[in-house]
Amino acid sequence: MAKRNFQLTYEQVIELQGAEQDTRSTLELRRLQAVRLYGTGAAVNTVQTVVGTSERTVRRWVQQNLEQGVAGLKPGWTGQ
């Protein structure tokens, strides 16, 4: 099994929790929660169960967070 190379700092966890409280988008909330859980050591299958998505999607959201920070977890579709 591969070793996890993604670990959130305390400050990053606080930032994600704040964004979770501020968002009105359920999709964004799922993304924020997935990254926070994964980044604090939760097993991938636990994260999948909590947010209801695939392992591949969880890893994609983590990568987006690494590249763009919390802003990278906002949904791109605006409904227009």
Side-chain angles (χ1 to χ4, degrees):
M1 178 162 222
K3 185 176 180 201
R4 185 179 306 209
N5 294 322
F6 181 72
Q7 182 70 36
L8 292 170
T9 65
Y10 175 77
E11 290 78 16
Q12 289 170 317
V13 171
I14 297 300
E15 179 183 20
L16 286 165
Q17 288 175 329
E20 288 173 26
Q21 292 176 353
D22 292 343
T23 189
R24 300 191 80 180
S25 166
T26 55
L27 178 57
E28 183 180 9
L29 178 60
R30 288 175 59 211
R31 292 175 180 189
L32 293 163
Q33 289 174 332
V35 171
R36 180 177 50 79
L37 289 169
Y38 184 80
T40 56
V44 175
N45 61 353
T46 301
V47 178
Q48 287 177 258
T49 301
V50 170
V51 299
T53 193
S54 70
E55 178 179 347
R56 182 177 179 180
T57 299
V58 170
R59 293 187 190 280
R60 188 180 74 232
W61 291 343
V62 167
Q63 187 62 37
Q64 287 173 314
N65 183 70
L66 283 170
E67 293 172 0
Q68 302 170 29
V70 171
L73 301 174
K74 292 193 177 294
W77 184 72
T78 61
Q80 297 176 356

